Amino acid sequence: MIVVPTFREMLAAAKAAVREIEPVEAEREIEAGGAVVLDVREPDEYEQGALPGAVHIPRGTLETSVEGRIPDKSSHVVIYCAGGTRSAFAAKTMQELGYADVASVIGGFNRWKDEGRAWAAPQALDPEQRNRYQRHLLLPEVGEVGQLKLLDAKVLLLGAGGLGSPAALYLAAAGVGTLGIIDMDVVDASNLQRQILHNTDRIGERKVDSAKKTLTLINPDVNVVTYDVRLGADNILDIIDGYDVIVDGTDNFPTRYLVNDASLLKRIPVVHGSIFRFEGQATVFNPFEGPCYRCMIPEPPPAELAPSCAEAGVLGVLPGIVGSIQAVETIKILLGIGDTLQGRLLAYDALEQSFRNFKVHRDPQCPACGPDAGEIVIAEYDDLCMPHAVAPPTAG
Ligand code: ZN
């Protein structure tokens, strides 16, 4: 005879098989750190409010997606639903999947909330955003969580020129929520061969205004903050403060050293790009994790050998490639995915149509990021390159 258990019996069996904890205990374990909080309610319940930082996997999709979302089976997982029933079943299922340390919260979210413990309405994409970022949502490496991270992110672009143009266009399209742009130039007809943020109608207009118009048309979600100033020792720390990543499209050594030292001080990663004739380079300077600009180029070359100090030619498409690589690296840093160009210099040759990787090592003697580096002093290096004119931070 087959005995079919009743729901009541199944629940009793699940509850007997798992560790159940009171909300007060759950709170203690979460505050102790290291616990993964798992919400197994339906999306509409989750959207009304959830425990801060909870991973949300509705009970119905638990078996199929938990291993992707919580890959470490030795994690301490605190599971809750609305009242403690679904979470008990979920905990039992997870134990069967090999999770060694799971607990179900008695009384669930309702009791947690009634007892006055911390919760918040989680951020969610609205239907328009869901549609706009559909192709990101289809990538598990981005998904809704990643897209919300991008929308929350702040990226500062140094220059609205050759490199800044494609980087800004793609970062705006990708939904990076705040884009700061610093440039003190006006649009000139000679820029339009490569600086695709601007157009013929905008000749004579400030580049930051032209950039803002273009980017807002691409994506109204993006807040474009403009700085029509020269980046200098007097203002750089204030300007870069609060940004998550700096995209460096500057074309002169003084500004690059200035940016390097300020970013080390503020611990902001810099995605570096440079172009010359038919060749481009890109790398990532991640403060105190990888090499910095001074580790790579300790001394600026003499003015006559520094290509960017002279009016150098550049193939118009080239910054499109290097600036796009900078945009990719920026998004990877923001999402914490993939291997960035930290410790590697990627060199592109348009005539050979080749990419090469060169290792860049952290210099143990680096005066800016080495162990014996003194206090970082933010100073101008105007005489390194341009004897009289002070270069605006714009790209080729
Ligand atoms: Zn260094």
Side-chain angles (χ1 to χ4, degrees):
M1 193 180 85
I2 299 164
V3 180
V4 180
T6 63
F7 172 74
R8 211 171 264 283
E9 286 164 347
M10 283 174 69
L11 177 60
K15 283 179 174 264
V18 304
R19 188 166 80 95
E20 289 193 291
I21 53 175
E22 299 285 338
V24 62
E25 176 61 19
E27 188 176 56
R28 218 177 357 246
E29 291 180 10
I30 294 164
E31 276 173 3
V36 178
V37 183
L38 172 61
D39 184 325
V40 294
R41 296 173 303 159
E42 294 304 304
D44 58 320
E45 299 175 276
Y46 172 76
E47 279 159 26
Q48 302 298 310
L51 268 62
V55 174
H56 177 227
I57 309 175
R59 176 66 192 91
T61 59
L62 185 69
E63 287 86 343
T64 51
S65 48
V66 70
E67 287 167 317
R69 302 283 300 280
I70 308 174
D72 181 1
K73 293 198 171 177
S74 66
S75 309
H76 175 44
V77 187
V78 174
I79 313 172
Y80 72 93
C81 59
T85 301
R86 282 172 287 174
S87 61
F89 284 117
K92 186 161 181 285
T93 302
M94 286 184 62
Q95 285 179 357
E96 287 160 9
L97 288 169
Y99 289 86
D101 185 10
V102 295
S104 165
V105 180
I106 298 165
F109 183 66
N110 293 340
R111 223 172 97 191
W112 176 280
K113 200 169 146 183
D114 289 347
E115 291 178 2
R117 302 182 201 284
W119 63 279
Q123 286 179 296
L125 298 173
D126 64 34
E128 272 175 40
Q129 289 173 323
R130 257 172 215 293
N131 187 37
R132 178 180 284 270
Y133 305 117
Q134 222 185 76
R135 294 294 208 280
H136 271 168
L137 303 184
L138 289 169
L139 297 169
E141 293 83 354
V142 186
E144 177 155 5
V145 173
Q147 190 61 55
L148 288 165
K149 263 191 210 164
L150 294 180
L151 286 163
D152 258 352
K154 298 177 78 179
V155 173
L156 179 65
L157 294 132
L158 308 182
L163 294 168
S165 283
L169 285 165
Y170 274 116
L171 292 173
V176 172
T178 302
L179 287 180
I181 300 186
I182 172 163
D183 201 308
M184 62 175 299
D185 267 357
V186 295
V187 179
D188 184 85
S190 67
N191 302 145
L192 301 179
Q193 166 249 21
R194 65 205 176 283
Q195 301 184 10
I196 56 174
L197 269 172
H198 317 295
N199 60 46
T200 309
D201 286 347
R202 312 251 178 89
I203 290 170
E205 213 173 295
R206 299 193 312 171
K207 280 191 182 173
V208 287
D209 295 339
S210 167
K212 185 170 182 160
K213 281 183 199 164
T214 305
L215 298 172
T216 310
L217 280 171
I218 286 179
N219 190 349
D221 278 351
V222 179
N223 172 32
V224 182
V225 182
T226 60
Y227 305 88
D228 181 21
V229 293
R230 190 188 79 85
L231 195 61
D234 55 330
N235 61 13
I236 187 164
L237 291 175
D238 288 335
I239 291 176
I240 68 173
D241 192 46
Y243 283 97
D244 300 307
V245 179
I246 296 170
V247 177
D248 185 2
T250 60
D251 63 354
N252 63 85
F253 289 97
T255 311
R256 286 184 197 154
Y257 284 115
L258 181 69
V259 169
N260 182 68
D261 298 352
S263 67
L264 283 169
L265 204 62
K266 293 278 185 183
R267 295 183 179 255
I268 304 172
V270 175
V271 181
H272 169 87
S274 69
I275 45 172
F276 176 63
R277 293 171 48 82
F278 297 94
E279 289 164 37
Q281 299 182 335
T283 188
V284 167
F285 301 120
N286 196 7
F288 305 103
E289 300 287 330
C292 78
Y293 187 70
R294 285 183 191 274
C295 294
M296 188 171 85
I297 304 180
E299 297 280 329
E304 63 276 16
L305 292 180
S308 56
C309 295
E311 282 286 318
V314 64
L315 186 72
V317 190
L318 185 69
I321 292 161
V322 177
S324 298
I325 289 169
Q326 289 179 281
V328 170
E329 292 303 296
T330 302
I331 287 179
K332 279 159 62 186
I333 293 169
L334 295 174
L335 295 177
I337 58 171
D339 296 319
T340 69
L341 287 174
Q342 174 184 317
R344 281 191 287 156
L345 182 73
L346 182 68
Y348 172 66
D349 185 319
L351 293 181
E352 280 182 10
Q353 202 59 277
S354 66
F355 284 98
R356 285 192 185 86
N357 269 289
F358 297 94
K359 280 213 164 71
V360 183
H361 295 286
R362 227 181 131 179
D363 175 5
Q365 310 302 324
C366 176
C369 80
D372 299 329
E375 206 173 301
I376 296 168
V377 177
I378 302 303
E380 301 275 348
Y381 297 91
D382 284 351
D383 57 343
L384 293 186
C385 174
M386 307 216 168
H388 43 269
V390 174
T394 56

